[in-house]
Structures are given as structure tokens and as C-alpha cells.
Amino acid sequence: MTALTGSATAGEILELVRSGRARTRREVQELTGLSRSTLSLRMSQLLAAGYLRESGQAAATTGRPARILTFDEARQIVLSVDIGATHAKLAVLDAGSTVLMEAQAEIDISAPPELTLRSLARRLTELLTRSERTLSAVAGVGVGIPAPVRFSTQRPNNPPLMRAWHDFPIAETLESLLGVPVFVDNDANLMGLGEARDRYPDSPSVLFVKVGTGIGAGVILHGQPERGIAGGAGDIGHIRIVDGAAAHLCTCGAVGCLATEASGGAIVRMLREEGRDVRSAGDVNRLVNAGDPRAIELTQRAGRLLGDVLATSVALLNPAVLVIGGVMADPGTVLVDSVRDRVYERTVPMSTRELFITASSLGADAAIQGARHMVIDQTFSAAAVDSRLQLAS
């Protein structure tokens, strides 16, 4: 946020408090240059709307201690949905990250989108009721999907795993069903956002890689996802790494993609071709953690292939943190260790000397928490807050 010069709106004041730049009315006044009367009016609006509260006292060198301003996190409720190929995770959270209620729902990603979204809307409503909250308390809904999302339209953009969902109005459909704002993004972006904000808030750049049924990445720069012009930033699963007869057909229609060789889905295929009763990336991970030699061997191979691709990403971005998440990285270290070894082997020391490579610390909650951040960012931006306060006046 740039410096303000005596004309700060209520929404801009809220951003100052949410960002931690201002903790008291005096600090707000010093940063904004607002007169006492104007500041008092803006603060009254924010307090009355329940966006801010004053509590406790800040130590002062002179005069009376000032009361501390805080964003009223407990009062703001967010619904998060993490959609996968066969399951969706749903959660009711407050703005401060506390999960009030959560559930799993079986879905069929190949089913008509509207049917799936109607079912999810019903489950969200039931979950909200169980948490003893109402839709009137919901700031918004955040939805993560395993597909590129054109963020300007909030619609999937040619999703390989969700062909029937291309350009489908997910946000508009859920908004009509629930009556609250809805925001949609790629699940790897949200997982990366959750990790970056909650675990690495001081890191200027975080590269998050999700390895599950497929492979995707989220690039978080200065706390915000870099989505690319069409939502395709981080779509590394469809980089082609194999040619010739050995190449396998990918869900994107091409052959030889990274996802066909290094994803959990690829390892499932390989094990099934050998006669093993394996049905999902979760099954592979369980075999790895149980010490199955073949599953470990194939996972190490996948890590090396993924590391080859990520070495280029590390050289290009020079990130501070590289996080490996998704079911294949939870909770074992086989995949992460293989990726780390390969990245160090294939990248110059300057790019890796200060690089921290680790497994996701949020695990299965990464996208849920990232969706929370997305909703709060969108619904409590200065422009959105000012618009609501103007309508309410």
C-alpha cells in the first residue's frame, strides 16, 4: 500500500490495520494525515460494520495508552472448498484460520458441473448449520479446482482433468445458490498462498508444487499468486519430457508430459501394469510409507524427473522457498528428498545456496487455508469495503 495523503478511505484504513502497518488511531492518523474529525468518522463506520474492534492498550511513551485496533477475525466467516478428482474437502473457518467445521464429499469430476456444484452448495449449507453459523455471517466462499483458472472471469480455462468444466461459471452458479460472494482459483495457487502466508510470510517468493493424481505448481511472489495471462502459470505437469514409443498419452491430449511419468497417477498406472492392486495416489503414498520397495523406487524416479523440471524453475525464479505438497508428499520424505537431490545437482549453487526445500507443513489443509486468504483479500480490499459501506449508508 502506498503512502496516503489526507484522503484515506475507510477501506484503506482497514488495509493499514490488516497489514499490521497501523495498530492505533494515532498511527493511522500519522500514516494517512487525516484530520481527527475525519478519522473519527471513518473509524465509526468500520467499528459499526464489525470490521474493526478496539481492545487492550498499547504501551505509550507519553500520555494515555492507546487502545489497539484489530481486524475482527472471529466475526468474519469463510467457506472453503478444495475440489479434487474424486473428493472435495469443505470447511467453515473464521478469518483468523480457525477451522470451525470440516467434511469430505465424494464427487465425480466428470459429472455435469452444475450437478456437482448444487451438491456442494447443499453440503456447505449443512456444514454451516452444524457450526451454528448462518449465511448472513459468511464473507465469501473460496473454491480451489485442479485446473487453470482465468482469474479475471473466474472460469476454468481448458482444464485437462475437467473437460466439461471449460469456461463454466463456477462463481456465478454458487453465488446464485448461496447468495454470498464466491471466488475461484487453481488449487496449487491456493495451496501455495496458504503456505506462503501462514508459514513463510517474510519470504519474497515461494514456489509450491502439488503432486497428487497430477502435477501443478503455484508461484507466490510477495504474498500474491502469479497466475499468468490465461491462468496457466505453474502448469508444469504438461511440460513434455519423454519422446517416442515410451511416451504415454496425457489428459491434456499430448504425449510424454511430466504428469504421465512423475505424478501419483503415473505411478498408479505403472504398478497396475505390474499386477498390483493400486487405485489412487493415496494408495501409492501408503505403500511408500509402509516401506514397499517398488513403490519407493518409482517414487524416487518421479522425484528425479520432477527435480529436472524444477531445476529450470529454480534457475528462472530463484525462489526463497520450494514446497512440495499434495498426497504424494504427505507425510513421507521420499519424494521430497529425491527432488531436493536433483535440484541441487542440476542447478548452480547461487540459485540454491539460500533455497529452502521442504514438504508442505499445512498438508491437506493448504488449499483450504489459501482459499480463506483469497476470500479475505477480495472481500476486504479497500474498494470492496468502501463499496459496501457506501451502500449501507
Side-chain angles (χ1 to χ4, degrees), residues 63-76:
R64 291 189 306 172
R67 290 174 64 77
I68 298 172
L69 296 171
T70 56
F71 177 54
D72 198 351
E73 295 177 335
R75 185 167 174 174
Q76 316 302 332

Side-chain angles (χ1 to χ4, degrees), residues 5-44:
T5 56
S7 60
T9 66
E12 288 169 336
I13 292 172
L14 180 62
E15 282 195 348
L16 285 173
V17 176
R18 285 184 53 228
S19 68
R21 291 181 63 193
R23 296 175 62 246
T24 66
R25 292 192 184 215
R26 177 178 293 179
E27 290 176 355
V28 171
Q29 190 171 24
E30 290 173 351
L31 286 168
T32 62
L34 290 174
S35 66
R36 286 190 177 184
S37 60
T38 302
L39 175 59
S40 179
L41 175 62
R42 302 275 194 270
M43 291 299 303
S44 296

Side-chain angles (χ1 to χ4, degrees), residues 291-373:
D292 184 278
R294 183 57 173 158
I296 291 174
E297 179 186 0
L298 291 174
T299 300
Q300 289 173 330
R301 172 182 177 271
R304 291 192 295 271
L305 292 171
L306 180 57
D308 286 340
V309 171
L310 291 179
T312 301
S313 301
V314 167
L316 180 65
L317 296 172
N318 192 202
V321 183
L322 169 57
V323 182
I324 311 298
V327 67
M328 290 298 296
D330 181 30
T333 64
V334 173
L335 182 73
V336 176
D337 288 345
S338 298
V339 169
R340 183 186 292 111
D341 290 345
R342 200 65 156 193
V343 168
Y344 285 155
E345 177 187 332
R346 296 296 180 94
T347 311
V348 296
M350 184 182 68
S351 296
T352 56
R353 188 173 293 117
E354 299 176 62
L355 174 65
F356 180 52
I357 302 178
T358 185
S360 168
S361 56
L362 293 179
D365 287 335
I368 291 297
Q369 294 293 346
R372 169 182 64 88
H373 284 294

